[in-house]
Amino acid sequence: MIDLEWMAWTTPTAVFFACVALLLAGMTLLQIVRPTFERKGFLPIPTTRGDRLFIALMLAAFVHLGFVYATELESFWLPLGLSAALGLIILRRG
Amino acid sequence: MLKIEDNRAWFLILPVFLLVAFNAVIPLMTVVNYSLQDIFGPGQRAFIGVEWFRETLRDPAIHAAFLRQILFSGLVLAIEIPLGVAIALTLPRGGWKASAAIVLVAIPLLIPFNVVGMIWQVYARPEIGFLGQVVNALGIPFNYTGDPLSAWVTILMMDAWHWTPLVILLAYAGLCSIPEPYYQAARIDGASRWAVFRYIELPKLNGVLTIAFLLRFMDSFMIYTEPYVVTGGGPGSSTTFLSIRLVNMAVGQFDLGPAAAFSLVYFLVILLFSYVFYTILQRAGRA
C-alpha cells in the first residue's frame, strides 16, 4: 500500500477535492450529452459552459479569500452560499 | 453540428495527462493540505482551519511585496514588449545575416538564471563592475547594494537583457509569416512606414504578442533566481518580490503551513491576471 502520509490529507481537503473531481466528471458527462456552444450573456465576453464554470470558481475563491481577510468568523456557510448563488447566476445568465 | 467520428486521438494526450497529474495536481493537492495545518515534522501536524490564509492576507510585508511585484511586472512589460518588437523590425528577413542575427539575439536565453544573476552582480558593482564604474564616472551615484533605485535599475536592465530576446524571436517569427502581397498592396497605396506597421504588421503580430505578453507577465510575476543572486531582496526589502518572500518563509523559516497558504493565494492571483490579460488580448485581436 502506498503511504500518503506525506500529503497530509485531512477530511475537509479530501471532501473539497472529491467535489472538484465530481464537478469535472459531471461537466464532462454534460458535454457528451449536451455539447456546449459559445454565447453572449451579461458577461462582457462570449463564453462556453466551461468558461462560465471557470469564472464562477475563480469568483468563489476570491469571495472566500475576501471573507477570510475581512472577518474573524470560522464558519464558511455564508461565503459558500454567496459563491454558489453567484456561480448559478453566471452559469445560467453569464 | 460537427459530429466527431473517431475519439481515439484523446488517448494520445494520456501521457501528458499522467505527467501533469504527477507534476502538478498531486503537489498542488499537498500544498492545499499543508495550507490548513500546522506542520511540525513528518507525521506531526494539527488542523488549524484558515488561520494561515488570514495571516497571509493581512501581512503588511506581503502587501508590500505584492505592490513591488505589480510594479516590476508592469515595468518589465512596458520595456520588453515595445523594445522586442522594435528590434525585431530592424532584423534582416533572409540570408546569412538573418541567421547570424537570430543566433546573436538568442544567446542570453541560453544562459542559466543563476549565471545571469552572477554576471550582473559583478557587471553592476560600483567598485569592480564595468557598468557600475562607468555610471559613477558620469557623476550619477550608482550602488545597487545600498540604494534601492540603483537595485531596481540593475534588476530591470538584467531582466530586459535576459528576456527581451524571447519577445524579439516571437515578434520576428510573426513578422516573417506575413505574406509579401500585403506589403505590395501597401506600396501601391503609398502607405507610410508607420501605416504599414500600424495596419499590417501589428494586427498580424497579435497572436505572438499575446503569447509574449502572457509569458513575460507570468515569468516576471514569479521571478526569483536573478534578483535573489544580485540583491538578495535588498537593500532592506526594496527588491523582495513575492517569490523571494515565499522562499524565505518556506525554506528559511520552515513555516510550511503559512508558505502553502501564501503559495495558493499567489497562484490564484497569477491565474486571475493571466485570464484577464488573455481575454483582453483575444478581444483586441478579434476587434
Side-chain angles (χ1 to χ4, degrees):
Chain A
M1 186 70 185
I2 300 169
D3 182 14
L4 292 178
E5 174 54 35
W6 64 275
M7 286 185 78
W9 281 103
T10 65
T11 309
T13 52
V15 169
F16 170 75
F17 282 113
C19 289
V20 172
L22 281 174
L23 197 61
L24 291 176
M27 289 295 284
T28 308
L29 280 176
L30 199 58
Q31 175 65 19
I32 293 165
V33 178
R34 287 179 60 189
T36 181
F37 56 91
E38 205 174 64
R39 67 164 166 76
K40 179 86 175 66
F42 69 82
L43 290 169
I45 47 170
T47 53
T48 61
R49 193 190 293 137
D51 293 331
R52 292 192 292 279
L53 179 72
F54 177 77
I55 292 167
L57 289 177
M58 286 292 287
L59 190 66
F62 282 98
V63 164
H64 280 80
L65 286 179
F67 190 81
V68 168
Y69 173 74
T71 71
E72 297 294 335
L73 296 174
E74 289 294 327
S75 167
F76 284 90
W77 292 113
L78 180 63
L80 191 63
L82 184 63
S83 303
L86 289 171
L88 279 175
I89 293 168
I90 289 170
L91 280 167
R92 293 294 297 273
R93 308 258 174 227
Chain B
M1 188 169 50
L2 185 67
K3 184 158 171 57
I4 299 166
E5 296 291 344
D6 187 354
N7 268 328
R8 280 177 300 175
W10 286 102
F11 286 108
L12 296 174
I13 64 165
L14 202 58
V16 175
F17 182 77
L18 290 174
L19 202 67
V20 169
F22 279 100
N23 273 327
V25 178
I26 290 174
L28 185 66
M29 284 175 166
T30 311
V31 171
V32 172
N33 291 340
Y34 275 34
S35 69
L36 300 173
Q37 299 179 76
D38 202 355
I39 308 286
F40 306 110
Q44 296 172 300
R45 52 198 169 89
F47 186 79
I48 60 157
V50 293
E51 198 47 46
W52 298 137
F53 284 93
R54 194 161 276 141
E55 200 175 272
T56 298
L57 292 168
R58 293 177 182 178
D59 186 351
I62 292 178
H63 295 171
F66 180 71
L67 290 177
R68 249 175 249 129
Q69 195 75 66
I70 296 273
L71 180 63
F72 179 74
S73 290
L75 288 170
V76 160
L77 292 174
I79 294 167
E80 292 177 16
I81 301 289
L83 184 63
V85 173
I87 294 174
L89 285 168
T90 64
L91 292 182
R93 299 283 171 87
W96 69 270
K97 284 181 185 170
S99 307
I102 289 166
V103 170
L104 280 175
V105 160
I107 285 173
L109 293 173
L110 306 176
I111 302 174
F113 295 11
N114 51 350
V115 178
V116 170
M118 280 306 298
I119 290 170
W120 279 82
Q121 201 217 38
V122 175
Y123 183 57
R125 271 195 180 274
E127 322 86 47
I128 55 167
F130 180 72
L131 176 70
Q133 284 189 337
V134 168
V135 175
N136 279 301
L138 291 171
I140 303 165
F142 184 84
N143 180 7
Y144 72 82
T145 59
D147 172 33
L149 182 62
S150 302
W152 269 79
V153 169
T154 307
I155 290 175
L156 282 169
M157 282 170 65
M158 174 178 63
D159 198 84
W161 178 80
H162 194 191
W163 289 112
T164 305
L166 178 72
V167 183
I168 297 172
L169 292 180
L170 287 168
Y172 183 74
L175 287 169
C176 288
S177 70
I178 300 172
E180 185 55 29
Y182 281 87
Y183 292 105
Q184 287 171 355
R187 274 196 294 274
I188 291 164
D189 289 344
S192 65
R193 182 70 192 88
W194 168 251
V196 170
F197 175 70
R198 173 66 186 83
Y199 296 106
I200 296 176
E201 291 172 330
L202 199 56
K204 289 283 175 192
L205 286 177
N206 179 60
V208 288
L209 286 184
T210 302
I211 295 167
F213 195 91
L214 286 174
L215 282 176
R216 285 314 301 133
F217 169 73
M218 285 188 281
D219 222 22
S220 63
F221 210 80
M222 296 185 288
I223 192 167
Y224 172 74
T225 311
E226 297 103 313
Y228 188 76
V229 172
V230 176
T231 64
S237 57
S238 59
T239 56
T240 301
F241 298 117
L242 287 172
S243 54
I244 294 179
R245 171 92 192 136
L246 176 61
V247 173
N248 287 344
M249 283 167 77
V251 182
Q253 301 158 12
F254 210 67
D255 287 335
L256 295 181
F262 183 11
S263 302
L264 289 174
V265 175
Y266 195 2
F267 170 66
L268 284 171
V269 169
I270 291 179
L271 202 59
L272 176 71
F273 274 104
S274 300
Y275 184 73
V276 169
F277 284 155
Y278 178 75
T279 307
I280 290 170
L281 291 170
Q282 285 294 101
R283 283 188 79 189
R286 282 181 194 176

